[in-house]
Each structure stands twice: as structure tokens, then as C-alpha cells.
Amino acid sequence: LRRIFLLLSSSLLIASFSSSEKKAIKLINATSEDWVSGMNGGGKGTEYYFKIKIQSSDKIEFDSLWINQKAFKTYLANPNKTISSSPITFSANDTITVRVSNIILPNRPLTIQPSSPPKKYKGEALLRYYDNGKVNYLIIKKINKKPSINRP
């Protein structure tokens, strides 16, 4: 009886420790914005922006994002308005923007091919990232749509 009690106690302790483990990132907000080029043949598309708080000092890398059975490469958007070829760096407690572009150009093949996400999820998007090399996923329940814009 004592062994059973010890086994159950240690199982509960492990379960409570793992459930209180802090995630490396936290979604602050998710938005999308449709656009249409003002140039003939310039295309159209949707830009997705995911504002994320870094909650860990671990090495975090963003990889892919799935929306509507399509996989997209992710980019880190520069929080400054200046253009720079330097890689964007961040650390614990920083807020960053992960960006995805879905561009449709007329008379050109689709650049984004259908792709099933690596795991089932309930939401509008699934973000894959690596925390010290270990794969993790962030489910994005809702993406808020901003008004469409016409680009010059």
C-alpha cells in the first residue's frame, strides 16, 4: 500500500511540474492583411503578422507555418522601419514579429503548394519553431483580419 501511495504521489508531482512548465514563446496577436498591387500584373496576396513574446533565453528558431493546408516559410520582420541586411536578433523578454507572405502572381504557377500540417490542430494556423533544437508547435486559434490595402 505504501508503494502505491509513493508511486501515485511521485506521478502527481511529475504531472504538476510538467504542466507548469513555461512555454518558450507566447502569442500576443495575429493579424492578416489582403493587398492588391497597383501595377498591372503586380499580383495580389495576403500578409500575415504574428506578434510573439520571447519568454526564454534558449535559442529559438522559427521554421514553418500552416494555414488552410498550405505550408509557408516564416520570416522575422524588422521592428524598425529601416532596411537592413543584418539578421534580426532577439533574446528573452523581446517582442518580435513573425511574418508570412502568400503572394499570387498572374500567369505564374503557385509558389505555395498544398501540404498537410505535421500534427492536427484546432485553429486558423500552426507555427513550428525550435527551442534549443527541439521541435515545438504553437496553435494560433484566430487571425484578426485588417482592412485590405491597395499598393502603389
Side-chain angles (χ1 to χ4, degrees), residues 25-99:
I25 64 172
K26 178 182 177 185
L27 180 70
I28 296 172
N29 67 34
T31 59
S32 70
E33 185 175 52
D34 293 333
W35 59 269
V36 176
S37 173
M39 293 176 28
N40 188 17
K44 62 182 181 176
T46 305
E47 299 296 328
Y48 296 92
Y49 302 94
F50 304 93
K51 193 172 185 180
I52 292 175
K53 169 100 174 180
I54 303 298
Q55 302 187 122
S56 170
S57 58
D58 294 345
K59 181 180 179 185
I60 307 294
E61 296 176 280
F62 297 92
D63 173 77
S64 302
L65 183 114
W66 285 263
I67 301 172
N68 297 328
Q69 299 292 314
K70 292 180 183 175
F72 297 90
K73 182 173 175 27
T74 58
Y75 299 93
L76 293 182
N78 194 336
N80 305 334
K81 297 298 180 189
T82 58
I83 297 173
S84 171
S85 61
S86 301
I88 296 169
T89 59
F90 55 88
S91 56
N93 298 316
D94 285 351
T95 300
I96 62 167
T97 300
V98 175
R99 182 177 176 173

Side-chain angles (χ1 to χ4, degrees), residues 4-18:
I4 293 172
F5 175 75
L6 288 173
L7 183 63
L8 285 173
S9 297
S10 62
S11 296
L12 288 172
L13 182 62
I14 291 168
S16 66
F17 177 77
S18 62

